[in-house]
Amino acid sequence: MSIYLGSDIPKHIAIIMDGNGRWAQKQGMARVFGHQHGATRVKEVVEECGHIGVDFLSLYAFSEENWSRPKEEVDALFLLLSNYLRSEASDLHKNNVKVIVIGQRERIPTECVKLIDYVEELTRNNDGLKLVLAISYSGRSELVECCKSVAERVAQGLLSPDLIDHNVIESFLPTADIPDPDLLIRTSGEQRISNFFLWQMAYTEFLFVPICWPDFSGNDLRQAIQKYQARNRKFGGINTENLPVKEGREDTL
Ligand code: IPE
Ligand code: IPE
Ligand code: MG
């Protein structure tokens, strides 16, 4: 039976799907075997988010830095991504999922871009789960692009520097219409954000789980949400509700 989560469901969950290579190598298999299994987990987790009632799910599928991997691995990853979009398009649409792709589209192989355009167009008017796929994505690069756009507006006399605030910056990011993530999950045990959503994660709750992505199940997602629900979010303020009572010194490194 699946874990009951009540009503405090995070609106936006972001996931760094890490550990495919290690998962495969542990079994004496090639890294691409891990990526193949990882793709089946994407399907499961997307469906689970739909059942749970999550509004936005962002999946970090390929970083700008991942271009530095061997060509065979990069090719295999884009083939898997294309296969995923081709085989899931109609189910995603049927399940009312809206697909949004962010990242440097100009670097993505043409065949894959065609599928991205097709699935985005097909699902454009859906109002169920919004599935954000970060492909060839870099948090720093998107901030550089944002700075360029803002600077252009200023140079054209369309924007006064005094008026630049958080809202202006956000309006130039590809996530302009997406709320900031409430919860970030990174699988594989690594504890870093590897250039994901640098601006957007200012107040996100981070959860680093030791499971590799090809083993991460819908039930693990529910457990992660339970852990999120036990957190005390303060946004710089004071929240006296549900504070854990600690006696003496319990903290150890
Ligand atoms: C995540 O798994 C997939 C991508 C980064 C595309 P990895 O391929 O990074 O697997 P590990 O971290 O090497 O085990
Ligand atoms: C982050 O994983 C990127 C994705 C999951 C797409 P990496 O495996 O590329 O990150 P590092 O190199 O361990 O920081
Ligand atoms: Mg990795």
Side-chain angles (χ1 to χ4, degrees):
M1 219 183 72
S2 60
I3 298 166
Y4 176 68
L5 291 170
S7 60
D8 180 22
I9 304 298
K11 243 179 138 42
H12 183 176
I13 298 178
I15 306 184
I16 301 178
M17 307 180 290
D18 196 20
N20 294 352
R22 276 165 284 170
W23 182 88
Q25 282 167 336
K26 233 183 320 181
Q27 303 172 60
M29 302 295 281
R31 294 175 55 84
V32 66
F33 182 67
H35 296 316
Q36 282 162 352
H37 273 260
T40 66
R41 290 310 185 173
V42 171
K43 187 174 154 65
E44 181 176 339
V45 166
V46 168
E47 282 172 7
E48 198 68 9
C49 280
H51 295 145
I52 294 169
V54 172
D55 279 346
F56 292 85
L57 171 67
S58 293
L59 299 178
Y60 200 7
F62 191 89
S63 72
E64 187 180 319
E65 290 75 18
N66 289 148
W67 287 110
S68 67
R69 294 190 180 195
K71 188 178 179 312
E72 307 80 71
E73 180 164 344
V74 170
D75 288 349
L77 281 165
F78 279 101
L79 188 64
L80 279 167
L81 209 60
S82 297
N83 289 344
Y84 171 78
L85 293 168
R86 200 179 290 111
S87 65
E88 292 306 308
S90 71
D91 273 2
L92 288 167
H93 186 41
K94 209 169 58 201
N95 293 331
N96 200 20
V97 176
K98 176 175 177 160
V99 177
I100 301 161
V101 176
I102 58 171
Q104 304 153 322
R105 210 170 281 222
E106 62 287 354
R107 292 187 76 177
I108 300 175
T110 324
E111 192 53 34
C112 192
V113 173
K114 279 189 197 154
L115 283 157
I116 291 171
D117 290 343
Y118 168 71
V119 177
E120 277 186 329
E121 184 53 33
L122 177 73
T123 63
R124 196 157 59 98
N125 296 318
N126 291 346
D127 59 3
L129 174 71
K130 266 66 76 185
L131 173 61
V132 182
L133 300 176
I135 305 173
S136 190
Y137 177 86
S138 152
R140 283 188 169 174
S141 294
E142 93 178 347
L143 286 169
V144 168
E145 290 308 312
C146 168
C147 290
K148 284 186 192 164
S149 305
V150 172
E152 264 169 36
R153 293 289 157 117
V154 171
Q156 289 165 358
L158 298 169
L159 178 66
S160 155
D162 299 343
L163 294 178
I164 300 171
D165 61 8
H166 292 187
N167 291 331
V168 170
I169 299 294
E170 256 157 31
S171 71
F172 286 100
L173 294 174
T175 50
D177 298 323
I178 299 173
D180 289 344
D182 299 295
L183 169 64
L184 168 80
I185 301 167
R186 181 172 186 147
T187 59
S188 92
E190 304 298 347
Q191 300 189 13
R192 53 180 172 264
I193 57 174
S194 302
N195 210 356
F196 200 24
F197 287 163
L198 299 182
W199 169 275
Q200 297 86 342
M201 297 208 289
Y203 270 102
T204 298
E205 295 296 325
F206 287 8
L207 190 70
F208 298 105
V209 300
I211 306 162
C212 285
W213 177 250
D215 280 335
F216 191 81
S217 66
N219 209 45
D220 292 322
L221 178 74
R222 284 181 181 260
Q223 278 188 40
I225 294 174
Q226 266 191 326
K227 292 216 163 125
Y228 161 85
Q229 290 173 331
R231 298 274 177 96
N232 184 17
R233 299 188 80 185
K234 296 192 284 184
F235 299 97
I238 298 167
N239 180 359
T240 49
E241 279 173 36
N242 304 320
L243 277 183
V245 181
K246 281 195 181 140
E247 283 174 26
R249 195 189 144 106
E250 308 177 338
D251 51 319
T252 45
L253 279 179

